[in-house]
Amino acid sequence: MARQKENKGQTGEQPRISSALARILEMPETALSDVPTIEISGNTEAVIDGCKGIVEYSEEKIRINTGRLILCITGRNLQLKCMTAQSAVVTGYLLSIGFSV
Amino acid sequence: MFLVRLLRYLKGYVRFTITGGFIERFLNLCSRGGVPLWDLEHTQEGMISSTTVKHYPGLRGYARRTGVRLRVKERHGFPFLLRRYRKRWGIFVGLLAFFIFLGAMSNFIWQIQVVGNETLTEEEIVAQLEELGVTIGANRHKIDTRWVERNMLLRLEELSWIGVNLTGSTAEIEVKERVMPPEKIDDEKQPTNVIAGESGQIKYMEVYDGKAVVSVGDTVVKGDIIVSGVLEDSKGKTTFKHARAKVMAQVPASLSVEVSLNQTIYEPSGKMPVERKLCLFGLEVPLSLPAKTGEFYNRYESVKNFSVLGRKLPVSLKSIGYEQLEKVEIVYTEDQALAEAQNQLLALEAQSFADATVVTKNPVAFVEQDTLIMKAEYIVEKDIAVVQEILIKE
């Protein structure tokens, strides 16, 4: 049982209070929690709101820290078009978007 | 996006290279420190990025902490442009002079637009406005629009309303024309007689009201009563009428023309020097030397106005052409003078007998002191009825 709980915590699937509250109040989860918002335009641009920092940056792969998760974007000629304290704009030829803890 | 680019340009930005050390960490420190970075590009040595001029000095601390080296590659934006030209006083003086000129010129009227006129022409309205001081080049602050409006209404009775709007350097004149009352028809109650306007013999009469005192075939002298408006019945009672009638009568008339046998005429020589002037803000700047006009000439003037996107500019090109004339002495033979006299007589007839029909015509021509005189006696048929008011003492 204890192992199960530990595993759950490790995978990050444990529901947070803010998420639960948002669900009860029938509000968007992004309004109450700090989950990132990702807006993708076709396969050429992705706007990540709630960016906490860059973990890895190359033309083929960009990994972005979003707090609870690491967002991994792979593709060709990837470029950080703009970067501020809260958001980042990634442009290029996006091939995949994945998440890891 | 254009607005963002414009703001960046106005604030000024630098493009710099980032080499060595921990570049990702450097980027994170920048984002946490609120330093905006954009257009990040990979290079073989490291990266190239852009940031504002204001934030660039603050990056040195982050660079030291992360071991990266920064080097400015390009400088863009207005502050750098200003710095580059700071020693060129001519540009700043020119700019200042331009704005002073612009400010000074905006105090004057450079365009007059008239809208809403239907029967009145723009030239008529502008001519009256000019007399009241609203002209091209007038100081707009010295124009009392209310006073101009009041005076324009007094000067042009066709106007029912006028609005003088001074917008920048444009005087927009909005007018509303009066719907003029129809012409007053004769007061039918006013007692009148119909009298003869000319002496002649009556050929035809149509009496609409009143009592005819003459009949067809009678001869009347100018001023004779033809139709009386005073009627008396069998009991001696007098009634007054508004007499009206159409009275066609044959009346004598005469016309004469004179043609001198020795005439001086002025013929165009074929030369027409043109003088051009540039009308700029009400001033006339000559573009050519004064034309040699000679002793006799006809003067023609044309003005070409320039406009941009339908807006008339205060610039126009005035062309004045002087058609040179040559003095030519002509000696007519009697036949030539007679033909000329006949032509002149026909033209005079058409003018004099526009509302009459010529019944007979007896022209006589004779030469007297180098002048051919042609006299013609006519009998013409025309309406000689003239309505005359009867004055009654109450």
Side-chain angles (χ1 to χ4, degrees), chain B residues 7-298:
Chain B
L7 280 171
R8 281 174 185 168
Y9 182 83
L10 289 175
K11 284 181 176 178
Y13 65 94
V14 289
R15 197 142 175 79
F16 60 97
T17 56
I18 313 163
T19 49
F22 302 99
I23 295 176
E24 281 88 353
R25 203 174 155 224
F26 172 76
L27 296 180
N28 291 337
L29 284 173
C30 287
S31 69
R32 268 180 226 152
V35 178
L37 298 174
W38 65 87
D39 290 343
L40 289 101
E41 273 178 40
H42 272 283
T43 57
Q44 286 182 340
E45 294 84 30
M47 289 181 78
I48 300 174
S49 180
S50 302
T51 190
T52 57
V53 174
K54 184 183 153 193
H55 289 102
Y56 185 75
L59 298 183
R60 283 181 198 145
Y62 303 141
R64 210 178 303 121
R65 280 163 65 184
T66 54
V68 298
R69 280 196 303 166
L70 306 177
R71 178 167 286 178
V72 174
K73 200 177 165 217
E74 293 160 17
R75 295 174 176 88
H76 298 277
F78 187 66
F80 295 111
L81 196 76
L82 210 64
R83 193 179 161 79
R84 198 184 306 160
Y85 295 117
R86 69 186 186 280
K87 285 182 181 172
R88 299 195 175 183
W89 291 105
I91 294 172
F92 297 105
V93 171
L95 270 173
L96 191 71
F98 169 73
F99 284 111
I100 289 172
F101 180 75
L102 202 68
M105 288 297 113
S106 63
N107 291 323
F108 299 97
I109 300 288
W110 297 121
Q111 192 181 13
I112 298 174
Q113 283 181 338
V114 180
V115 289
N117 54 323
E118 287 169 7
T119 55
L120 278 171
T121 61
E122 191 177 329
E123 287 74 24
E124 284 176 302
I125 296 168
V126 170
Q128 293 296 328
L129 283 167
E130 280 180 0
E131 285 181 22
L132 294 173
V134 184
T135 56
I136 301 255
N139 189 340
R140 64 192 295 274
H141 301 294
K142 286 185 180 172
I143 296 171
D144 183 354
T145 53
R146 289 286 173 86
W147 180 81
V148 173
E149 285 167 6
R150 279 198 302 272
N151 278 278
M152 282 296 283
L153 288 176
L154 292 173
R155 281 165 176 252
L156 293 170
E157 62 170 13
E158 291 90 346
L159 295 180
S160 69
W161 176 83
I162 184 167
V164 178
N165 305 314
L166 303 178
T167 316
S169 295
T170 305
E172 194 183 64
I173 314 298
E174 282 184 69
V175 296
K176 185 82 185 163
E177 288 180 9
R178 190 193 301 272
V179 178
M180 298 303 276
E183 278 184 29
K184 193 180 174 184
I185 53 171
D186 286 343
D187 189 358
E188 297 287 324
K189 288 176 183 172
Q190 179 67 41
T192 56
N193 287 325
V194 173
I195 62 164
E198 286 181 51
S199 304
Q201 187 184 23
I202 295 169
K203 288 288 170 187
Y204 173 74
M205 268 208 311
E206 270 179 37
V207 179
Y208 306 120
D209 215 343
K211 187 186 172 188
V213 294
V214 292
S215 52
V216 174
D218 288 356
T219 305
V220 288
V221 180
K222 187 180 176 181
D224 280 357
I225 293 174
I226 299 171
V227 180
S228 173
V230 184
L231 302 179
E232 199 172 322
D233 61 12
S234 55
K235 293 175 183 170
K237 190 183 173 189
T238 305
T239 50
F240 295 102
K241 289 272 183 185
H242 180 89
R244 290 182 302 123
K246 181 181 178 184
V247 183
M248 298 303 288
Q250 286 186 355
V251 295
S254 64
L255 294 173
S256 89
V257 290
E258 291 181 7
V259 176
S260 176
L261 295 177
N262 299 317
Q263 286 201 7
T264 306
I265 62 164
Y266 297 94
E267 280 188 340
S269 66
K271 290 178 187 171
M272 191 161 88
V274 180
E275 217 176 272
R276 287 191 175 84
K277 286 177 182 176
L278 185 73
C279 301
L280 194 70
F281 303 115
L283 291 172
E284 287 189 355
V285 182
L287 297 177
S288 57
L289 292 169
K292 289 174 183 173
T293 56
E295 197 178 351
F296 306 103
Y297 57 85
N298 286 326

Side-chain angles (χ1 to χ4, degrees), chain A:
Chain A
M1 191 68 181
R3 182 172 285 276
Q4 271 182 356
K5 268 188 181 176
E6 196 182 331
N7 285 343
K8 220 176 182 180
Q10 276 175 357
T11 53
E13 288 171 5
Q14 191 176 13
R16 291 199 166 194
I17 296 168
S18 57
S19 302
L21 191 65
R23 220 171 294 132
I24 292 163
L25 295 173
E26 293 184 349
M27 285 172 75
E29 204 169 329
T30 52
L32 294 174
S33 66
D34 58 348
V35 290
T37 309
I38 305 165
E39 192 182 316
I40 304 168
S41 309
N43 65 342
T44 54
E45 190 181 82
V47 180
I48 301 110
D49 198 18
C51 163
K52 299 275 193 296
I54 304 293
V55 180
E56 188 184 342
Y57 182 27
S58 68
E59 283 191 321
E60 287 78 33
K61 191 179 193 181
I62 294 178
R63 289 170 71 211
I64 296 168
N65 181 11
T66 61
R68 286 165 62 191
L69 299 164
I70 301 287
L71 175 70
C72 179
I73 301 171
T74 58
R76 290 197 300 272
N77 300 323
L78 296 182
Q79 190 186 349
L80 268 170
K81 189 75 186 162
C82 182
M83 194 180 162
T84 61
Q86 283 298 312
S87 64
V89 180
V90 177
T91 58
Y93 188 78
L94 311 186
L95 290 175
S96 70
I97 295 175
F99 297 94
S100 59
V101 181

